[in-house]
Amino acid sequence: MTTIPIADLRDRAGLTQQQLADVIGVKRTTLCHYETGRSRVPVSLLLPLKIALGCTWEELFGEKEDHD
């Protein structure tokens, strides 16, 4: 299972786990499980995460851009 780099993106956005959890409407422990890969992020939360973290889809999914 691929883990979305939520913790890194959250840190970059200057948010605590509690702040991000409040914004996307989950408990802090649930967000912790998403960050550690213990639980999968539901599809319904991907857009709210992207918006809250101010990131691109590529960043959210941990994809690297090729600059050939």
Side-chain angles (χ1 to χ4, degrees):
M1 167 179 17
T2 302
T3 303
I4 297 173
I6 299 170
D8 294 338
L9 294 170
R10 178 180 53 75
D11 288 341
R12 187 179 77 181
L15 298 170
T16 65
Q17 279 186 336
Q18 189 62 60
Q19 289 169 326
L20 182 55
D22 290 345
V23 169
I24 65 170
V26 300
K27 293 182 180 180
R28 189 199 57 78
T29 54
T30 301
L31 178 63
C32 182
H33 289 172
Y34 296 157
E35 288 186 352
T36 61
R38 196 166 170 204
S39 296
R40 291 185 181 190
V41 178
V43 171
S44 61
L45 289 181
L46 293 176
L47 183 58
L49 267 175
K50 179 185 176 298
I51 292 168
L53 295 171
C55 65
T56 65
W57 288 114
E58 289 81 11
E59 291 170 323
L60 186 62
F61 291 113
E63 296 175 0
K64 305 288 185 223
E65 290 185 25
D66 291 334
H67 297 284
D68 292 331

